[in-house]
Structure formats: C-alpha cells, structure tokens
Amino acid sequence: MYKVGITGGIGSGKSVVSRMLSDRGVAVYTSDSRAKEIMAADEGVRRELVERFGEKVFEGGVLNRAYLAERVFSSSEELAALNAIVHPVVMADFERWADAEQGDYVVLESAILFESGFDRCVDVAVAVMAPEELRIERVMERDGVTREQVEERIHHQLTDDERCSRSKYAIVNIELDELEDDVEQLHRRLSYDARHQKS
C-alpha cells in the first residue's frame, strides 16, 4: 500500500485537506485521535504511562489529558518520555491499518509527522501551509484561545520552510474554493504516483 503523510502547523488546514481526500474515497488515519484512543485503551501503554507519570494520569480509569498535558508541555524530557511510550505503538497500529485498506493509497495525518519519526512510515509527505496571521485567526476562532497561546504553539512547531523542504508536495490553504481544486490535483498526482510505484 502506498502511504502518504499529510502534515502542517496548527491552523494550516491539514485536517480539511485530509477530509477532502476522504470525500474522494481515500482512507485517512488521524494519528492524534488514534494516539488518544490507544492511550485510553491499550493495557500495555496504560501501564507504562502510570509507571512514568504516576497514578494521576488516569482518573476513574479515564485518561487525565489536562494533567498529562501540564506535565509534558513544560518539560521536553517528559514529552520525549511520553512520545517514546506512545509513538512506536501508533506506528505499528498505522502499519496494520494500512495493510488492511483498499485503494491506490492511504493517508497518515499528523501535525508532528517529522518530529515524531512518523515520516519513516510513509512513502511521500505533503505539507499544508497558510500565512501565519490567517492561522492565528483560525485557531483563535476555533479553540477560543488568545493570540499569545496560538503564537506559543506555533513557536514550538517546525516552520513551513522546514516542512516544505522535507515534503514532495505542498498545498497553500487560503481560499476554500482554490483548496478544493488543489486537493483534486493532489489526489490525481498521488493516485498516479501510487499506481506508478506498483507497476
């Protein structure tokens, strides 16, 4: 199965691009939501999380996301420990999922495709970009957060230039109508790439 990684900074619209591809019949694996499901349900992962972060990481058997976020986002060491527990399990889960899918290609959507090493699981990467000011406005409106909070999150992510340099394709998401056309073109290219690789 040909595997495509779609990534982009916060507010870039990578989820919108993934949804448009899904509308075209492409299977999409959303690593962020799947990682949350795995942390909540996988017994081995749950055990490791408790060992590393203490009993507070689960409240009444439910993952205490606020506590975990507080722990890991204030310490790069804690974040690395969390990633070491969760990322290998997510990668293996994605590989199993992809092998069971049909179609020319599948999509792995991840905000941290390169930072997490998930790019090693895919054949090609696509960077979704948008002007920073537009990204800030989108996230403020979507999440009800302050400009400073969004800027802080952007500051901790790779730049568009860094993502672009490591991706085969890039899409700029400003106007929805234009994005629809760009995604259609992208879909055709990826389908061609996938079929070409198989032949």
Side-chain angles (χ1 to χ4, degrees), residues 4-175:
V4 177
I6 291 190
T7 192
I10 186 168
S12 62
K14 68 189 170 301
S15 299
V16 178
V17 170
S18 295
R19 191 164 60 247
M20 287 178 173
L21 290 171
S22 176
D23 290 344
R24 286 161 170 80
V26 179
V28 175
Y29 182 100
T30 310
S31 64
D32 186 42
S33 57
R34 192 66 190 114
K36 286 170 185 162
E37 288 169 14
I38 286 169
M39 284 191 281
D42 185 291
E43 283 305 320
V45 171
R46 286 172 70 98
R47 198 165 46 248
E48 285 190 64
L49 288 173
V50 171
E51 281 172 17
R52 183 64 180 79
F53 299 103
E55 298 289 339
K56 273 189 181 176
V57 80
F58 289 99
E59 270 187 0
V62 178
L63 183 67
N64 185 346
R65 285 187 199 160
Y67 169 76
L68 192 58
E70 196 179 302
R71 285 284 298 266
V72 303
F73 288 121
S74 58
S75 160
S76 55
E77 189 183 318
E78 297 270 69
L79 181 59
L82 174 65
N83 291 343
I85 294 168
V86 178
H87 287 170
V89 184
V90 174
M91 283 186 197
D93 184 66
F94 168 70
E95 295 288 359
R96 279 192 304 273
W97 171 88
D99 287 344
E101 289 298 328
Q102 304 294 314
D104 287 332
Y105 67 95
V106 296
V107 162
L108 167 64
E109 181 197 317
S110 174
I112 52 169
L113 185 76
F114 300 115
E115 301 94 317
S116 64
F118 288 159
D119 59 311
R120 294 195 301 272
C121 299
V122 299
D123 298 291
V124 65
V126 178
V128 181
M129 302 180 298
E132 187 168 302
E133 187 57 37
L134 181 56
R135 290 168 57 195
I136 291 168
E137 287 169 13
R138 283 173 180 163
V139 179
M140 285 171 64
E141 189 177 325
R142 183 189 73 195
D143 297 349
V145 291
T146 66
R147 167 177 287 274
E148 289 71 26
Q149 287 172 305
V150 185
E151 286 173 342
E152 177 73 8
R153 285 159 82 178
I154 287 173
H155 175 70
H156 283 99
Q157 295 183 331
L158 291 180
T159 66
D160 279 349
D161 285 348
E162 288 172 306
R163 279 191 210 92
C164 250
S165 69
R166 298 169 71 173
S167 301
K168 182 174 182 182
Y169 298 116
I171 278 192
V172 178
N173 169 25
I174 298 173
E175 296 291 340

